[in-house]
Amino acid sequence: MKKLLFLGAMAAMLLGTASCSNDMEPEMTGDGNVQFTIELPGNIDSRAISDGLIATKLQVAVYKEDGTLLQDISLLGDKAVTMSGKKATVNFKLVKGLKYSFAFWAQNPNEDAYTFDAASGKVTVDYSKAVANADDGDAFSNREMNLEITGPITKTITLTRPFAQLNYGDVVADYNAAVAAGIDFKQTAVTVKQVANEYDILNQTTTGEVADITWDAANSAMEDNLVVNEETYKWLSMCYFLVPNDESTVTTELSMLNTAGSEFNKITVDNVPVKKNHRTNILGSLFTDDVNFNIIIDERFDQPDNNIFYPYLTDAAAIAEAIKTPGAVVNVAPGMDLVLDLRTVAEGVTINGNKSKLILSQTTNKVNSNNVTINGFTVDNTESGYSSISVTGCGFSMKDCEFTPSEAHTFGVYLSNMSEAGVYNFDGIVYDATADRRLIVPECKGTVNISNSILKSVVYPISTVNIVSDCEINVTNTQLIGWTSFNGGSNHVYNFENCYFGKLNYGYFRPYGGNGTNVINVNNCTFSDDYEGINPALNATIMITNSKRENGAALTEDIVDPDSANGKVYLDGTLIFDSNN
């Protein structure tokens, strides 16, 4: 019997640093100079496949407010710009007082499966020309709509993939054993049922015909292995395609061919989740009879991962009993509305939610055991009271969970063990609260790691209250939208790496200094253009490096709000603010 394991993991992307400029002067005259810095998404994988380096041909279509293409000044055909190091800069002279829209499209200059119709802003895919098991089809797009020219404008445009990417990977040990056993394996062919063939860049929608597509057989040998969740797989196959409605479930087929071109094995997987700008990986021991699949949607930064673990339990009573066994891994059936008493969870238990809803109350939301892991739930905290989840145990992990904040609670996750030093991990968390709510409140000893998450709240995305000494908080690849403040205690280290700081009602970054003993590091981060300021308190010292505004502008002394700041702020090693002087 085949056992399927669906995992969702966001795709992390590496920001390019080199740039090149278009030195062609647009033909339209005007008094509004517009400069776009075009870059591929931050933290694109640096491996040989899907590193973004092949998409070097950049085309930009410019439209009047009525949608008419301005052919003369658009960067199309011979006027296309060559991207270097995943970045390019383009300039336009436009008429002040008018509005313009822009469609951006970057692809491999040698890829002929794509046709960009600038007049309509649409890209059509001819799958008969598309090649599998090669990176030729990697491409990126974005738009800028109704930009009013009020004077000189400088903006950064980040392009993303309009496609889903599908990969098959075999466990390395299984692949090596198959080769050692003399299996004659040469190529793979892939079929994906019900994919689209047209993408509208201006409306950011998938259009056109929907059909079953089979890519011709191609050599499966890839230079790189596929590494997912620290596991290594032999990369057997890869292809790009457009997903109807940007998100869907599809049936996929992988055919394994020998050197004579004959199929000796075929694997069909139904209900595979695919989504625009996501990578879906089907992983397992593909050469054996008892196939165990991990299907992983790989994307970072946008939303929680889609994890579906098989086999799973469908009976709530059986789940309630299973979580009482120390070290157990309990898989919940998809689609459940599960009322669960977290007080009964034993030490070391992992609960995989498979996108079910976890319903908690003020009494059942307490995790008292050590090192409990909760994955893949929508957390319904309507009746949870003070906090959605309250952790008194030492050590806790949460991954790919989305909270539904309500007026009934103040905190998302409250960590309160101050007697032992634990490790608390949060990965792929979405917490979108438009009111005064706080996602993660570490009032604990040890280390708190937050990654690949979206934390949005008026006050506070992260808040520490009466935190004890010697705590480390590491935040990476995370959006912090709202008034980010943390205080209390001393001798802490706070690290923010590759983060985005945005404004909701407020846009402040206010760390407290523990009377000067706390260290706050902010590296390679982006602050929204309307972000109001950095405000150290209690003599805090903030070290900012390699960071910028969202429009690409360098940070200056204006990032500090001097009226409310108390402490020191260093920018790329230079002291730009000292409240004592």
Side-chain angles (χ1 to χ4, degrees):
M1 179 179 179
K2 294 183 179 180
K3 293 173 284 185
L4 302 182
L5 173 58
F6 292 67
L7 299 175
M10 295 169 136
M13 302 188 177
L14 176 64
L15 175 67
T17 55
S19 67
C20 65
S21 297
N22 169 46
D23 43 351
M24 296 189 63
E25 196 66 30
E27 297 174 16
M28 174 179 285
T29 61
D31 49 8
N33 294 315
V34 178
Q35 181 181 84
F36 291 112
T37 297
I38 316 299
E39 60 186 21
L40 300 190
N43 298 333
I44 282 185
D45 296 336
S46 58
R47 54 197 177 207
I49 294 181
S50 68
D51 61 6
L53 290 173
I54 201 166
T56 58
K57 180 182 178 181
L58 172 67
Q59 299 184 77
V60 186
V62 187
Y63 307 88
K64 295 195 297 185
E65 190 171 2
D66 64 1
T68 303
L69 174 68
L70 294 172
Q71 182 77 41
D72 290 342
I73 68 167
S74 295
L75 303 177
L76 306 170
D78 294 339
K79 293 183 179 180
V81 175
T82 299
M83 299 187 72
S84 176
K86 308 170 192 172
K87 182 179 286 191
T89 300
V90 296
N91 299 278
F92 300 96
K93 286 184 178 179
L94 301 173
V95 178
K96 196 172 182 180
L98 298 184
K99 293 182 179 179
Y100 299 86
S101 295
F102 305 80
F104 304 91
W105 174 252
Q107 68 167 78
N108 173 9
N110 299 316
E111 175 60 72
D112 59 359
Y114 303 145
T115 300
F116 176 40
D117 178 29
S120 66
K122 295 180 180 180
V123 175
T124 303
V125 182
D126 182 350
Y127 289 103
S128 68
K129 298 179 180 179
V131 178
N133 299 352
D135 207 24
D136 297 3
D138 205 6
F140 301 80
S141 70
N142 206 342
R143 65 175 183 177
E144 180 71 23
M145 300 297 291
N146 298 318
L147 179 65
E148 183 174 2
I149 309 303
T150 57
I153 296 175
T154 301
K155 292 182 71 70
T156 297
I157 305 294
T158 301
L159 308 187
T160 58
R161 294 180 177 91
F163 304 102
Q165 185 194 77
L166 176 68
N167 301 290
Y168 281 86
D170 188 53
V171 174
V172 170
D174 181 75
Y175 178 81
N176 291 339
V179 172
I183 289 181
D184 180 13
F185 171 60
K186 178 69 174 179
Q187 294 183 318
T188 57
V190 175
T191 296
V192 180
K193 297 186 177 181
Q194 297 298 287
V195 304
N197 75 333
E198 188 176 81
Y199 184 72
D200 188 328
I201 297 176
L202 293 173
N203 291 308
Q204 296 190 320
T205 56
T206 304
T207 57
E209 299 178 355
V210 176
D212 298 347
I213 301 299
T214 298
W215 283 260
D216 292 339
N219 291 342
S220 66
M222 306 260 185
E223 294 182 1
D224 291 350
N225 288 325
L226 187 62
V227 180
V228 180
N229 294 342
E230 300 181 356
E231 295 291 334
T232 300
Y233 302 86
K234 179 66 177 177
W235 214 329
L236 300 183
S237 181
M238 185 273 287
C239 59
Y240 292 99
F241 55 90
L242 294 172
V243 180
N245 303 317
D246 293 339
E247 183 174 10
S248 184
T249 56
V250 298
T251 296
T252 69
E253 297 175 347
L254 175 71
S255 296
M256 297 181 182
L257 310 177
N258 58 27
T259 52
S262 299
E263 178 183 285
F264 68 87
N265 191 19
K266 187 173 185 177
I267 297 170
T268 300
V269 185
D270 297 318
N271 298 319
V272 176
V274 291
K275 189 173 182 180
K276 179 179 73 172
N277 198 35
H278 286 55
R279 178 184 290 120
T280 297
N281 301 321
I282 301 179
L283 309 171
S285 299
L286 305 184
F287 285 92
T288 62
D289 291 333
D290 184 14
V291 179
N292 297 296
F293 292 117
N294 304 330
I295 301 183
I296 297 180
I297 296 186
D298 186 359
E299 181 262 350
R300 287 289 170 193
F301 228 69
D302 285 349
Q303 61 181 16
D305 303 337
N306 298 319
N307 299 329
I308 302 179
F309 298 85
Y310 287 88
Y312 47 69
L313 299 175
T314 59
D315 181 68
I319 295 170
E321 190 63 30
I323 63 175
K324 298 177 182 178
T325 301
V329 177
V330 181
N331 300 327
V332 176
M336 294 186 70
D337 287 347
L338 184 64
V339 178
L340 199 62
D341 190 344
L342 297 182
R343 295 173 299 180
T344 65
V345 179
E347 181 170 355
V349 167
T350 296
I351 309 173
N352 295 315
N354 294 336
K355 294 306 172 185
S356 282
K357 181 185 293 185
L358 178 60
I359 302 173
L360 301 171
S361 69
Q362 190 168 356
T363 56
T364 63
N365 68 341
K366 296 177 176 60
V367 180
N368 300 319
S369 295
N370 298 339
N371 300 317
V372 170
T373 298
I374 296 176
N375 295 329
F377 278 102
T378 296
V379 181
D380 185 334
N381 49 37
T382 303
E383 303 297 331
S384 297
Y386 189 60
S387 59
S388 299
I389 296 177
S390 178
V391 179
T392 62
C394 180
F396 177 77
S397 294
M398 205 168 194
K399 185 174 182 180
D400 303 333
C401 289
E402 183 168 3
F403 287 80
T404 55
S406 73
E407 297 300 322
H409 83 289
T410 301
F411 302 138
V413 180
Y414 193 89
L415 311 175
S416 60
N417 190 322
M418 292 192 287
S419 61
E420 303 173 83
V423 177
Y424 303 85
N425 295 315
F426 298 88
D427 184 25
I429 306 299
V430 171
Y431 185 87
D432 188 347
T434 56
D436 179 1
R437 300 293 177 261
R438 311 170 187 189
L439 170 59
I440 298 170
V441 183
E443 187 176 335
C444 59
K445 279 188 174 181
T447 302
V448 179
N449 300 311
I450 304 169
S451 58
N452 307 309
S453 298
I454 300 175
L455 314 183
K456 180 180 178 182
S457 178
V458 176
V459 289
Y460 305 93
I462 299 176
S463 175
T464 61
V465 182
N466 299 322
I467 192 168
V468 297
S469 298
D470 305 319
C471 176
E472 181 175 333
I473 298 179
N474 302 304
V475 186
T476 59
N477 296 324
T478 291
Q479 297 182 33
L480 301 155
I481 301 174
W483 188 329
T484 299
S485 179
F486 38 95
N487 56 30
S490 57
N491 297 319
H492 306 314
V493 177
Y494 302 98
N495 297 310
F496 295 85
E497 183 88 17
N498 297 323
C499 290
Y500 172 84
F501 293 92
K503 178 182 176 181
L504 195 56
N505 294 48
Y506 306 98
Y508 288 105
F509 180 72
R510 186 170 178 80
Y512 288 73
N515 295 320
T517 61
N518 292 342
V519 177
I520 300 100
N521 298 307
V522 179
N523 182 49
N524 199 30
C525 292
T526 299
F527 294 83
S528 66
D529 297 342
D530 59 353
Y531 204 75
E532 294 167 284
I534 292 175
N535 313 87
L538 295 182
N539 204 27
T541 298
I542 306 175
M543 312 291 291
I544 306 173
T545 55
N546 300 320
S547 297
K548 62 181 181 180
R549 287 284 190 179
E550 190 171 9
N551 63 10
L555 297 181
T556 65
E557 295 179 4
D558 293 341
I559 194 67
V560 181
D561 182 359
D563 294 333
S564 60
N566 177 261
K568 297 179 181 179
V569 179
Y570 288 84
L571 181 58
D572 293 320
T574 300
L575 180 65
I576 63 171
F577 177 82
D578 186 351
S579 62
N580 297 316
N581 294 325

